[in-house]
Amino acid sequence: MVLCGGTKMFFFFNFKPYIAIIGDIKKSKELENRKNIQVRLNYALSEINEKYNSVISAKFMITLGDEFQGLLCSGDRVLDIIEEIQRQMYPVEIRFGIGVGQITTEINAEMAIGADGPGYYMARHAIESLKHNEQKSKTQAADIRIEIENDEHSIAIMLNTIFSLIAVIQNNWSERQREIAWAFEKYGGSQIECAKRLNVSQSSIQRSLVNGNYYAYKNAKETINTVLKEIGEVRV
């Protein structure tokens, strides 16, 4: 760790770090109406590119029929971007590989293809690790994994452990609990405001959030955000 502007940091890089994100649709060949899914994905990525333009170095785009990627210059919106894609594509399941590292070629801001470097290698390795974990495990594995160039693995291990805990919470949500949790994530506000939006009682919202371990999920997300947001702030 290094002190940067008086703040204790999780990262120190001797290069300019980027965050590459590769998304991979799970069991894509088994899905019905694949053309419609691609249309939905293309629309979701277009919205992401517009909404999060300030942190995007190369726009998200579909690179293969079941895969897409984008490049960020800051880590503070990584989970927001991933969860927004998850919400828009649900119930289609997607793996997300996050790679933190150098980009050693020119970056085309309009499309996340053509550029290369350890950032993308890390993201690709994360995707392959997720696939391997799915094959060897009988239980539901996490759908998000991060790999960090030059990391001594302690930070990546911590983050990937939290991603796994988040997956356990999400996988135990009922459809109603998922709807309420995602409404909170998307719109914010109080339980009363959420109840009005969903036309239910405030007590129903509270019960759903507690039974779905929403606040443990939220705290886990905030921990990840605290770590990742420093990537764009670190002095090299």
Side-chain angles (χ1 to χ4, degrees):
M1 297 183 187
V2 63
L3 292 180
C4 176
T7 303
K8 197 170 186 179
M9 305 297 289
F10 290 94
F11 298 101
F12 174 76
F13 300 105
N14 58 6
F15 53 82
K16 178 177 174 57
Y18 288 89
I19 302 95
I21 298 177
I22 297 177
D24 177 45
I25 296 176
K26 299 171 71 172
K27 300 179 181 178
S28 60
K29 294 181 180 179
E30 300 176 16
L31 297 174
E32 297 180 1
N33 209 348
R34 292 179 65 192
K35 183 176 180 180
N36 181 56
I37 290 172
Q38 274 208 341
V39 170
R40 286 173 56 199
L41 178 58
N42 195 51
Y43 178 79
L45 297 181
S46 295
E47 286 202 332
I48 292 294
N49 288 331
E50 181 175 351
K51 183 174 180 179
Y52 298 99
N53 176 64
S54 64
V55 298
I56 294 177
S57 293
K59 291 181 179 179
F60 283 83
M61 63 177 297
I62 297 173
T63 53
L64 297 170
D66 58 357
E67 197 172 277
F68 58 91
Q69 65 186 44
L71 187 67
L72 310 181
C73 59
S74 175
D76 62 343
R77 306 307 297 272
V78 170
L79 278 188
D80 293 333
I81 289 171
I82 288 175
E83 290 206 328
E84 202 152 317
I85 295 172
Q86 287 177 324
R87 287 196 297 267
Q88 291 206 42
M89 295 305 297
Y90 186 79
V92 175
E93 296 182 0
I94 302 174
R95 303 178 190 91
F96 290 90
I98 305 168
V100 180
Q102 300 177 78
I103 299 299
T104 55
T105 60
E106 292 293 322
I107 297 171
N108 183 345
E110 291 302 312
M111 58 179 66
I113 57 173
D116 201 8
Y120 280 115
Y121 307 155
M122 297 291 103
R124 175 60 59 191
H125 187 265
I127 286 285
E128 295 306 319
S129 294
L130 287 173
K131 291 180 180 179
H132 177 72
N133 290 341
E134 290 166 14
Q135 292 170 357
K136 75 175 184 178
S137 177
K138 294 182 180 180
T139 59
Q140 179 72 35
D143 286 335
I144 307 172
R145 183 175 178 84
I146 189 168
E147 301 285 349
I148 305 169
E149 182 185 4
N150 293 347
D151 178 49
E152 295 181 355
H153 303 299
S154 58
I155 298 174
I157 288 172
M158 177 190 73
L159 293 174
N160 287 325
T161 299
I162 298 174
F163 283 135
S164 294
L165 295 174
I166 286 175
V168 169
I169 293 173
Q170 288 179 319
N171 292 331
N172 283 311
W173 281 343
S174 66
E175 287 301 314
R176 188 56 167 168
Q177 287 170 340
R178 185 183 307 278
E179 178 187 17
I180 291 171
W182 280 359
F184 253 80
E185 293 297 300
K186 184 175 182 178
Y187 300 108
S190 66
Q191 291 184 13
I192 293 175
E193 290 170 327
C194 186
K196 290 180 179 178
R197 187 175 292 113
L198 298 178
N199 196 29
V200 297
S201 67
Q202 183 269 334
S203 60
S204 294
I205 297 294
Q206 182 181 38
R207 185 165 55 252
S208 179
L209 294 176
V210 171
N211 291 342
N213 292 305
Y214 170 77
Y215 293 105
Y217 158 83
K218 182 179 179 182
N219 288 338
K221 277 187 54 183
E222 288 174 352
T223 299
I224 293 173
N225 283 330
T226 296
V227 176
L228 293 183
K229 75 177 182 179
E230 293 184 351
I231 293 174
E233 300 172 353
V234 175
R235 297 175 184 172
V236 298

